Structure formats: C-alpha cells, structure tokens
Amino acid sequence: MSKIAVLGLGTMGSRMAARLLAAGHAVTVWNRSPGRDADLREAGAKAAATPREAVQDVEAAVAMVRDDAASREVWLNPQTGALAALPKRAVAIDSSTVSLAWARELAAAAAAAGSDMLDAPVSGSRPQAEAGQLVYLVGGDAAVLQRVEPILQAMGGAVLHAGPAGAGAALKLAVNALYAAQAAEMAELLGWAARAGFDPARFAELIGQTPVCAPVMKVAGAAMAAGRFDPLFPVELVEKDLGYMAAEAARSGAEAPLTAATRAVFRRALDQGLGDLNITAAAKLYR
Ligand SMILES: NC(=O)c1ccc[n+]([C@@H]2O[C@H](COP(=O)([O-])OP(=O)(O)OC[C@H]3O[C@@H](n4cnc5c(N)ncnc54)[C@H](OP(=O)(O)O)[C@@H]3O)[C@@H](O)[C@H]2O)c1
C-alpha cells in the first residue's frame, strides 16, 4: 500500500482516485472547486485544502487537470503548489494532456527542485478509467517509472515508456490528433453517405468490417450514425489538444496540414455550441 495524492477530480481524475482506493492505497484528494470529493471520501479518501497540503507525506502525487495553465497552478503556484512540498522520495506524475513545451518546462522545474517527475498522460476515456484499463504513455527516467509502475497499474491496463521527459506528452498529442482526424473524416463520410441516399448506420457498420477501419472508429461511426453524443471525450478537450499539436508543429517547423484541417472542424463544432458533447458530435456538422 502506498500513500498517493490525486490532484484534480474531474471526469478522469475522480475515477483514477477510485481505482487507487479500490487497490488498497491510502489516497488524499484535492480539487479546485469544492464538492467533487464526496463519493471518494465515503470510499475512504482524505480531502486536502490545497495541492501542497495533499502531498505531505506521499510516495506519489498524480495530477489530472484540464490543461497547461491548470497543471502550472497545481504544481507551481507559489502559495499552494504541490512541487515545493513534495517529499524527496516521492514521484510527481502529471497525467493531464498538456503541451510538449509545458511538459518539458515542468520536468525542468521538478529537476531544479530535486524531485522525480514523469509526464504520464493516458489514452482511453471514462469507461477505461472506471475499469482501470487506461494506457499510460510515459516520459521520464525509466528507473523512476519502475518505482511507480505498480501504482500506475492500478489505473491502467498498459504502461508504455515512451522516452525521456516530454515523450509521453508528445505521444499523447499524436494519438489524439490521429483519433480526431479519423473522427472528423468519419463524420464527413457519414454526412455524404446520407446525402447520397445510403443509410449512415449500415454504411458505418460496413466500413467497420473492412481492414482500413480502426477499432475506435468502428465505435465512433456507430455512435455518430445513432446520434449518441454523450460526453466521454468532449469536443472542447479535443480542440484544446489539437491546438497544442498545431503549436508544437509550428514551433518545430513540421508541416501539419491535416492537423490544421481537423482543428478547423472541431473549432466549427465549438462555435456551434457543441463543446460539451462527445467527439462524435462532429457528425452534427454534416446533417
Ligand atoms: N475525458 C477524456 O476522455 C480524457 C481522456 C484522456 C485524457 N484526458 C485529459 O485528462 C485531463 C482531465 O480531463 P477530464 O476529462 O477529467 O476533464 P474535466 O472533467 O473537465 O476535469 C478537469 C479538471 O481540471 C480542473 N481544473 C481546470 N482548470 C484548473 C485550474 N486552473 N486549476 C486547477 N484545476 C483546474 C478541474 O477543476 P474544477 O472542478 O474546479 O473545474 C477538474 O478537476 C485533461 O487534460 C484531458 O485532456 C481526458
């Protein structure tokens, strides 16, 4: 059993904390807005008033918050940030989907503070978080990862070491860009199929039976055709991640026309008020 802090109790963080509790760990939780920890406290978690308070005495601290700004706040806020109070033997783990630039800056700040840090974003959504079947994409020192692997395995079905600091963040942005590009294309194709006189549900089902269709698109295509848009991976987070990917491409001078086109689709979805709906709501643009 380890003492672990979970910082951020949104859709993903709350379920990850629940998995840690179920695995028998001692968990202290913190969330910016009050009132999101009731179920976790009932299941045995302790609540802390700040990230700094939450990490007293822990072996690992896991942050799962929205974006770069939130991650900066959680780790580095001069009064309440976790990093300054992290015990020396502990590992700081950021599982938020953030930019590569921020993941590297945070890793440098952790190194300067003498703390071990991993960027460890996850592939998978709410159902995988609930089932402890997330796929961890980890950047940082392999020996540090080895120390916390049993903790990550309580929340994930696979733990993949991607490379040095920032490699997990980079891989996560690439995975999401690939997912979003395919979802945007599937939405477009089903809209076209309907206009051409085909049944979109049957069309999606048949595409799903060909070798070119990724398993995740089989699910997304069926959901689009059935009009299922309940938020798992909401449009506003998809657009955030595509924005990070586009910025990284521009910074490194890489050409990324498909990322730009995909981002334009999800920006249009945001502009049409679809931000809180699932990634599958891209289909609404083509009805
Ligand atoms: N949903 C998915 O399918 C999925 C899958 C893989 C990865 N991710 C990534 O995982 C992260 C969390 O996603 P989620 O779906 O759990 O999001 P969410 O439900 O929207 O929760 C966001 C969390 O971030 C916190 N937060 C936002 N701004 C903050 C700030 N400035 N300071 C401190 N805390 C702040 C929120 O606190 P409040 O309660 O106070 O707003 C909340 O705890 C994101 O980076 C997302 O891209 C999501």
Side-chain angles (χ1 to χ4, degrees):
M1 185 198 71
S2 299
K3 286 187 82 171
I4 303 164
V6 177
L7 312 171
L9 303 175
T11 302
M12 299 295 285
S14 58
R15 280 143 180 111
M16 291 156 72
R19 291 294 310 184
L20 290 172
L21 283 166
H25 295 294
V27 179
T28 301
V29 295
W30 170 85
N31 193 65
R32 176 183 62 173
S33 307
R36 294 188 87 159
D37 58 7
D39 289 352
L40 291 165
R41 279 192 285 114
E42 205 159 300
K46 270 173 54 183
T50 64
R52 189 162 295 179
E53 185 187 309
V55 302
Q56 309 286 334
D57 226 15
V58 297
E59 279 124 87
V62 178
M64 191 52 162
V65 290
R66 186 181 187 280
D67 54 14
D68 288 9
S71 168
R72 183 184 290 277
E73 181 67 19
V74 163
W75 293 112
L76 297 185
N77 178 291
Q79 278 79 46
T80 60
L83 206 54
L86 199 71
K88 285 299 164 239
R89 67 176 194 292
V91 179
I93 302 167
D94 201 326
S95 286
S96 322
T97 303
V98 297
S99 70
L100 173 56
W102 168 244
R104 284 178 168 158
E105 188 183 332
L106 180 58
S115 297
D116 289 321
M117 169 118 226
L118 299 170
D119 47 291
V122 294
S123 183
S125 195
R126 191 180 65 205
Q128 289 76 25
E130 261 161 21
Q133 288 300 318
L134 294 167
V135 176
Y136 275 88
L137 310 170
V138 186
D141 192 275
V144 173
L145 172 57
Q146 211 174 11
R147 273 162 49 205
V148 292
E149 209 161 333
I151 292 172
L152 298 185
Q153 270 161 358
M155 300 177 280
V159 178
L160 311 179
H161 187 223
L171 195 59
K172 172 64 182 167
L173 292 179
V175 166
N176 277 13
L178 183 59
Y179 179 26
Q182 291 182 76
E185 183 66 21
M186 181 63 86
E188 186 178 305
L189 292 176
L190 295 185
W192 163 75
R195 280 168 199 268
F198 299 106
D199 170 18
R202 180 74 178 139
F203 208 77
E205 189 193 327
L206 292 177
I207 290 176
Q209 289 180 40
T210 70
V212 301
C213 187
V216 72
M217 273 310 109
K218 206 169 158 173
V219 177
M224 287 177 188
R228 281 197 304 273
F229 308 130
D230 292 347
L232 290 171
F233 183 22
V235 164
E236 63 108 8
L237 290 181
V238 177
E239 200 281 330
K240 168 198 57 114
D241 297 348
L242 289 165
Y244 286 152
M245 186 68 207
E248 296 301 343
R251 205 185 328 270
S252 63
E255 284 190 42
L258 280 180
T259 299
T262 307
R263 189 181 180 203
V265 171
F266 285 98
R267 282 212 70 85
R268 192 147 72 84
L270 266 189
D271 291 345
Q272 293 194 16
L274 308 177
D276 290 341
L277 298 183
N278 199 32
I279 185 169
T280 50
K284 279 178 163 269
L285 299 174
Y286 303 102
R287 281 183 162 177

